């Protein structure tokens, strides 16, 4: 058997569909598969093959056919953090999802109200911001458009609880709570490197051992992806250090590229 094996726990209150095949999407599929069968949609055969290799094929149905999500009662979009790309996918979903299905997005920086409008079902829309690694991080930030029904809120909270997550409702502001506070801190660590000539390992060791952070700020930027960090930083209005942009220009995007502030 390929992929990550799983055991079934208490069943989910929803038939879960995942839109996307990246790290967040696969993490959601993996924890959902502990409770029942999950359908994961990937844009291409190559990304579908990568997802199949990472997941339990008996618990997660990976497909490139959007129509396979027709039976989902709760669909979570986890594609690139781009409003136009999300809107295009939402338009394709129109007529695929059932009329009572809830559509959620994992956005951390885009306007929930605008995405809800693009979804065509603002009363059945939610932002469900999970954290990487999804299998380990307990928090989910929830944000809802004004039009979201009480049933949508209740179903979203019930789903989070079934997945073993702690949900906190936050306002529809760029970065919500965690990223709004986190990224200025991460970028300040880069500025400290620029000002002092310290090595990344020195800064990270100080924050791990002196502030009990599980991961230092430079290693965390590498884990997030420097390109993703810049996109979030620009959305929340944080100053992005020149060194981050220089690394991106050199193709050093972090762990996913094999190098960033560190070599992997």
């Amino acid at each position: 058997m390929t992929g990550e094996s799983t055991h079934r726990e208490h069943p989910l209150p929803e038939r879960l569909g995942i839109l996307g095949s990246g790290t967040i999407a696969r993490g959601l599929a993996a924890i959902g598969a502990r409770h029942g069968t999950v359908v994961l949609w990937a844009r291409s055969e190559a990304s579908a093959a990568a997802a199949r290799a990472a997941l339990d094929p008996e618990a997660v149905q990976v497909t490139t056919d959007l129509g396979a999500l027709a039976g989902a009662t709760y669909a979570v979009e986890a594609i690139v953090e781009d409003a136009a790309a999300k809107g295009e996918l939402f338009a394709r979903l129109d007529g695929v999802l059932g009329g009572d299905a809830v559509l959620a997005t994992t956005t951390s920086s885009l306007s929930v109200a605008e995405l809800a409008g693009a979804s065509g079902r603002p009363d059945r829309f939610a932002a469900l911001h999970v954290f990487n690694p999804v299998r380990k991080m307990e928090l989910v930030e929830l944000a809802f458009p004004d039009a979201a029904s009480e049933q949508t809120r209740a179903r979203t909270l019930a789903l989070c609880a079934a997945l073993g997550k702690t949900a906190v409702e936050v306002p529809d502001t760029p970065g919500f709570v965690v990223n709004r506070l986190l990224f200025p801190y991460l970028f300040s660590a880069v500025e400290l490197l620029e000002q002092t000539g310290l090595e990344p390992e020195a800064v990270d060791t100080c924050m791990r051992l002196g502030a009990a952070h599980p991961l230092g700020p430079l290693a965390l930027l590498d884990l997030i992806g420097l390109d993703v960090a810049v996109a979030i930083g620009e959305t929340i209005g944080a100053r992005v250090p020149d060194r981050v942009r220089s690394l991106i220009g050199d193709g050093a995007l972090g762990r996913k590229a094999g190098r960033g502030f560190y070599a992997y």
Side-chain angles (χ1 to χ4, degrees), residues 23 222-229 251-259 264:
T23 303
D222 276 354
L223 177 63
I224 293 166
L226 301 189
D227 53 337
V228 175
L253 304 181
R255 286 194 186 186
K256 62 187 175 185
R259 61 194 180 98
Y264 299 91

Side-chain angles (χ1 to χ4, degrees), residues 14-107:
E14 308 279 356
R15 294 190 300 276
L16 186 61
I18 307 295
L19 296 147
S21 57
T23 303
I24 295 296
R26 294 198 302 266
L28 277 169
I31 61 172
R34 297 171 184 166
H35 309 267
T37 301
V38 175
V39 178
L40 182 146
W41 172 82
R43 283 183 177 272
S44 68
E45 288 296 342
S47 56
R52 290 188 188 102
L55 297 165
D56 181 354
E58 294 183 1
V60 182
Q61 176 191 347
V62 179
T63 180
T64 57
D65 176 15
L66 203 59
L69 275 81
T73 61
Y74 203 107
V76 183
E77 169 273 309
I79 66 168
V80 63
E81 190 74 337
D82 179 83
K86 292 179 189 293
E88 185 272 335
L89 179 57
F90 295 162
R92 292 180 61 192
L93 279 170
D94 188 34
V96 173
L97 294 177
D100 193 46
V102 174
L103 176 59
T105 176
T106 60
T107 188

Side-chain angles (χ1 to χ4, degrees), residues 73-262:
T73 61
Y74 203 107
V76 183
E77 169 273 309
I79 66 168
V80 63
E81 190 74 337
D82 179 83
K86 292 179 189 293
E88 185 272 335
L89 179 57
F90 295 162
R92 292 180 61 192
L93 279 170
D94 188 34
V96 173
L97 294 177
D100 193 46
V102 174
L103 176 59
T105 176
T106 60
T107 188
S108 62
S109 59
L110 300 175
S111 166
V112 178
E114 291 179 8
L115 292 177
S119 76
R121 53 180 71 211
D123 58 324
R124 284 157 287 127
F125 193 87
L128 195 151
H129 180 217
V130 294
F131 292 83
N132 190 29
V134 180
R135 295 169 179 85
K136 295 181 179 180
M137 300 294 282
E138 183 180 354
L139 177 67
V140 178
E141 289 180 318
L142 297 182
F144 297 95
D146 291 340
S149 68
E150 287 304 315
Q151 184 184 49
T152 295
R153 293 170 184 267
R155 287 171 63 182
T156 301
L157 286 167
L159 178 64
C160 290
L163 292 173
K165 301 297 185 184
T166 297
V168 176
E169 187 170 344
V170 297
D172 180 13
T173 57
F176 301 142
V177 173
V178 173
N179 284 352
R180 193 176 185 90
L181 299 177
L182 176 63
F183 278 85
Y185 153 68
L186 297 180
F187 292 146
S188 71
V190 181
E191 291 174 346
L192 186 64
L193 292 183
E194 295 175 335
Q195 294 164 4
T196 64
L198 281 168
E199 291 297 323
E201 186 175 1
V203 173
D204 283 349
T205 299
C206 287
M207 295 309 297
R208 283 190 297 103
L209 302 184
H213 290 188
L215 202 62
L218 291 318
L220 182 54
L221 280 168
D222 276 354
L223 177 63
I224 293 166
L226 301 189
D227 53 337
V228 175
V230 167
I232 294 172
E234 290 177 340
T235 301
I236 67 174
R239 180 189 174 277
V240 178
D242 293 338
R243 182 163 175 178
V244 175
R245 297 189 188 277
S246 177
L247 285 167
I248 292 172
D250 195 36
L253 304 181
R255 286 194 186 186
K256 62 187 175 185
R259 61 194 180 98
F261 287 98
Y262 295 90

